[in-house]
Amino acid sequence: MRARLIAGVLALLLLTCGGVSLATAELLRHFLVGRLDQQLAQAGARYAASLEHAAGAPGTGIPAPGRPDAGADTRAQAPGTFGARLLDGRVTAAGVVDGDADDAEVASGDRPADTDDKVALTAVDGRHLAALPPDGSAHGVRLSALGGYRVRAAAGRDGDVLVTGLPTGPVDATVHKLVMVELLVFGVALAATGIAGTLWVRLSLRPLERVAGTAERVSALSLASGAVALSERVPDEDPRTEVGRVGSAFNRMLGHVEDALAQRHLVEERLRGFAADAGHELRTPLATVRGHAELALRHPGPVPPEVRHSLGRIEAESRRMGAIVEDLLLLARLDAGRPLADDEVDLTRLALDGAADARASAPGHRWRLDLPEEPVIVRGDADRLRQVVANLLANAAAHTPEGTEVTLRLTPDGPWIALGVTDTGPGIEPRLAERVFERFVRGDPARSRTRSAGSTGLGLAIVRAVVDAHGGSVRLASRPGRTEFTALLPAGRD
Ligand SMILES: Nc1ncnc2c1ncn2[C@@H]1O[C@H](COP(=O)(O)OP(=O)(O)O)[C@@H](O)[C@H]1O
Ligand SMILES: [Mg+2]
């Protein structure tokens, strides 16, 4: 914008300067030519008329023998004055007054030979001169030997036409000088305007730059979630300037955004609080239900089989519900950003335990371990990390058919430890894979081995929340025959 403004101003100035110099040059030329025409009128046709006698016999154009060429009357004629005599449209004599023509010498009759010169005119020049109307009006012509001239033609006394001319050379020189001076002055003016304009535009655009700077800083803020401090404001709020209006509108907008973000944060907090409260409230009655079901099942007397079955279902479902509530409470705690334990955790140990548990609960799968020689240590919360391993292995067991090979792998990778669980199962379709880490998102229960029982859609949400809380990240790559979950955790020792 800065460059465009300055370029625009300079272009305008250039146009103006060009117009001014054209106009002044034209005016000056007009004025000078007018004056030349006046001088021409004053000079009259005396010099041209005198050529006749200097040149020789009328009508022949051939100098008479024995008579000097320098016989023309150059008295009071300006140097460069051109004269020609035409008879029947043909030039019979032409001459030009020399630079050192001198009245005193002429008057004394002691005329030097060089007070005027004969001029050889071409046929074209002759035609130009012949075309002049003999009415005394001034015209511009260009003579091949002499250059530009203002000439006027007048009828002579003996039927001839007398042409007198004054050179336009001095006029051209003056105009040229003016144009040169103007070019110099305008060049200096353009350069000065360029420099001063740049400074001025930079100064004027400074408020706009401040607005842009604020906008850039705000756009760099992460507004996606949580409490966001949006304290940036534009300093320019003067409603009388355009930038001030933009600034105050921008500030108002920032205010609205800040309010909306604060509102969102409040709602998030409330929701989280609600989930935590509801979880806590559900824990006790659930424990009571389960306790009573267990108690009733242990009743020594005869219990009808249907009642026993129902009590078994009550006990199992209340146990499942208890697990869901624990998961929800854990997620609520992680959401609230409650600090996790910060211990040295031996991931190798957790992997061995997890694999052993998985082997016991799903003996139909082929379980493999791929661990480095050295124990792999990370910093974090051992119980939560154990849950990550367990959830990933449980999924590999639950959502793949028997006989599937599942590999649990630990790979140190620079500052990261990659914990990978790979299976050779049917894979996760892309549409599900996009959202699989979200809460309560689960695949078609018909495809899973455990059917809907035991499936809540919270397992991977917990995996992600725990890994995020450790400063790591989770990835999923899945195609039929190979599904790989990878959790990247920051290494504990460097
Ligand atoms: N190893 C896997 N192979 C195929 N599908 C999987 C695998 N792991 C997870 N899934 C799919 O992702 C969904 C979400 O998993 P998760 O969050 O653990 O919930 P849940 O296991 O309770 O259904 C599952 O319902 C299942 O459809
Ligand atoms: Mg699961």
Side-chain angles (χ1 to χ4, degrees), residues 391 394-395 399 454 457-460:
N391 284 3
N395 277 350
H399 304 297
L458 287 176
L460 289 176

Side-chain angles (χ1 to χ4, degrees), residues 340-341 345 378-382 384-385 388 416 464-473 488-490:
L340 296 168
V345 181
V378 296
R379 285 207 75 84
D381 190 319
R384 301 286 84 88
L385 290 175
V388 167
W416 299 98
R464 184 168 73 177
V466 169
V467 173
D468 281 354
H470 280 80
S473 60
L488 280 182
L489 291 162

Side-chain angles (χ1 to χ4, degrees), residues 36 40 43 47 74 77-83 95-101 114-117 119 143 146-151 164-170:
L36 207 60
L40 197 57
Y47 173 59
T74 62
Q77 296 294 337
T81 304
F82 165 82
V96 65
V97 176
D98 234 331
D100 43 15
D114 57 353
T115 48
D116 86 331
D117 282 334
V119 177
L143 300 175
L146 301 170
Y149 264 81
R150 291 294 288 178
V151 293
T164 312
L166 283 172
T168 52

Side-chain angles (χ1 to χ4, degrees), residues 320 327 391-400 406 421-423 425-429 432-433 435-445 447-448 450-463 476 478 483-485:
R320 193 168 100 79
D327 282 353
N391 284 3
L392 290 176
L393 292 179
N395 277 350
H399 304 297
T400 60
V406 185
V421 175
T422 314
D423 68 58
I428 307 175
E429 59 203 81
L432 178 62
R435 305 180 47 229
V436 86
F437 290 104
E438 289 170 26
R439 281 158 210 203
F440 297 112
V441 170
R442 51 187 177 167
D444 181 1
R447 289 183 60 167
S448 84
T450 50
R451 300 287 172 245
S452 57
S455 176
T456 60
L458 287 176
L460 289 176
I462 287 177
V463 168
L476 162 64
S478 179
T483 299
E484 180 169 23
F485 285 93

